[in-house]
Amino acid sequence: SMMDKHNQEGILGLFKSKIMFLISMNLFFQWLVQNLVFYGVSQSTGSWGADPYLSFTISAIVELLAYIGVHAILDRVGRKLPYCLFAILFGLVALAVLPIQKYMNDDSSAKTILMYTIQVSLKFFASASYAIIYIYANELFPTNVRNTGMGICSMIARVGAIIGTYCNDSLTRIWISLPVLLYGIVSLIAAVLALMFPETLNKPLPQTVAEAEKMSMIRIRIGKPRSTNTDGTEREDQSLAGNNEDSTLKDLLQGDNIDDRHL
């Protein structure tokens, strides 16, 4: 069926409908944020306050442990919950830097240990969420635009890595913990936006844009659908092929339990 011309989408397939536009832009933002925080934290290893070689070694071990942990839970818990949880924990731990820097003495050994622990924790959470978004994005993009969508995500991710490197150099001149606070804030925003995505564990991969729309953002109101004229015949095949967007949107607004017989 993918040879059918109605199922052959180009780059415009990622943006041609409201729901697919929201899915695509949200995923692009997720990739930007994950690369921003991952490379931002990873490239600041030398400023953790200890021997840089030791810090780099611990950073690598923590990243490996994060990947092992993600591998152990993804097929049990799913993708959405761990991803949002790791992103939220990253944001909360990053924001914890603010009271520590404000209320603890700079020469305190307790402060040094706490800051080092925070940096190690941030590397763990960033590595875990970074690993999940690779799988999650692949399962959210429909098959006929998956390569295109992942290519754009990868391109935007490089921009996030560039911003992270720039922040480590420029923002630390204003305040040494300012980059970490920035990473925490954008990570929390990404976690909130990721709540819009559906869970993809044990779900069939969407093959067309219309199928991706039906599984994604069910509870998001995107506007009143336009009325359509039908001749009383079944429209299920057209909807799955992406030719009956109005009927698809109407079903999405009716709730989770979609009865294709009323399309």
Side-chain angles (χ1 to χ4, degrees):
S1 63
M2 300 308 296
M3 296 298 295
D4 191 303
K5 64 178 181 179
H6 296 299
N7 292 330
Q8 295 177 2
E9 306 280 356
I11 188 173
L12 295 180
L14 296 169
F15 312 103
K16 72 176 185 179
S17 66
K18 295 177 181 178
I19 296 179
M20 199 63 227
F21 175 82
L22 293 176
I23 297 171
S24 300
M25 296 304 296
N26 198 348
L27 284 172
F28 298 158
F29 179 73
Q30 299 296 330
W31 277 68
L32 177 81
V33 170
Q34 290 309 318
N35 275 259
L36 169 65
V37 301
F38 178 81
Y39 286 104
V41 171
S42 298
Q43 293 175 0
S44 65
T45 305
S47 62
W48 284 9
D51 181 85
Y53 296 100
L54 176 62
S55 297
F56 187 85
T57 302
I58 293 176
S59 173
I61 294 173
V62 166
E63 182 176 346
L64 181 61
L65 292 176
Y67 295 152
I68 295 174
V70 166
H71 178 74
I73 65 174
L74 272 188
D75 289 338
R76 294 177 174 85
V77 182
R79 286 79 160 115
K80 181 177 180 179
L81 179 59
Y83 178 76
C84 294
L85 180 62
F86 287 131
I88 291 173
L89 289 176
F90 181 97
L92 295 178
V93 172
L95 294 179
V97 170
L98 187 59
I100 292 175
Q101 292 285 6
K102 183 175 182 180
Y103 297 110
M104 297 189 70
N105 191 343
D106 290 339
D107 299 328
S108 171
S109 59
K111 179 180 179 180
T112 303
I113 294 173
L114 273 177
M115 290 300 299
Y116 198 87
T117 303
I118 285 177
Q119 295 288 356
V120 172
S121 301
L122 292 178
K123 182 57 185 291
F124 179 88
F125 296 138
S127 300
S129 57
Y130 186 56
I132 295 174
I133 195 61
Y134 268 95
I135 300 174
Y136 205 13
N138 271 288
E139 295 176 342
L140 288 171
F141 281 123
T143 298
N144 55 358
V145 292
R146 185 169 294 124
N147 284 345
T148 303
M150 292 300 295
I152 297 177
C153 283
S154 181
M155 179 189 68
I156 295 177
R158 300 309 106 195
V159 177
I162 294 171
I163 296 174
T165 304
Y166 177 80
C167 290
N168 284 338
D169 180 53
S170 299
L171 296 186
T172 50
R173 301 179 184 180
I174 301 175
W175 184 42
I176 192 169
S177 296
L178 186 55
V180 175
L181 291 179
L182 172 64
Y183 303 153
I185 292 172
V186 297
S187 183
L188 288 175
I189 295 174
V192 172
L193 292 177
L195 294 174
M196 301 177 184
F197 295 135
E199 178 55 64
T200 58
L201 177 64
N202 297 326
K203 301 289 181 63
L205 289 176
Q207 301 300 313
T208 64
V209 170
E211 289 182 17
E213 290 174 347
K214 292 183 69 172
M215 68 175 286
S216 302
M217 301 186 181
I218 286 288
R219 297 177 180 88
I220 303 294
R221 292 191 65 88
I222 62 170
K224 185 177 179 181
R226 301 185 300 273
S227 61
T228 56
N229 295 323
T230 62
D231 56 1
T233 60
E234 281 294 329
R235 297 292 184 180
E236 181 177 356
D237 290 337
Q238 279 190 323
S239 175
L240 292 178
N243 298 326
N244 194 8
E245 179 184 330
D246 292 334
S247 296
T248 303
L249 298 181
K250 183 177 180 181
D251 276 353
L252 289 169
L253 295 175
Q254 289 175 350
D256 292 340
N257 298 322
I258 299 175
D259 184 358
D260 288 340
R261 293 176 300 176
H262 296 293
L263 287 173

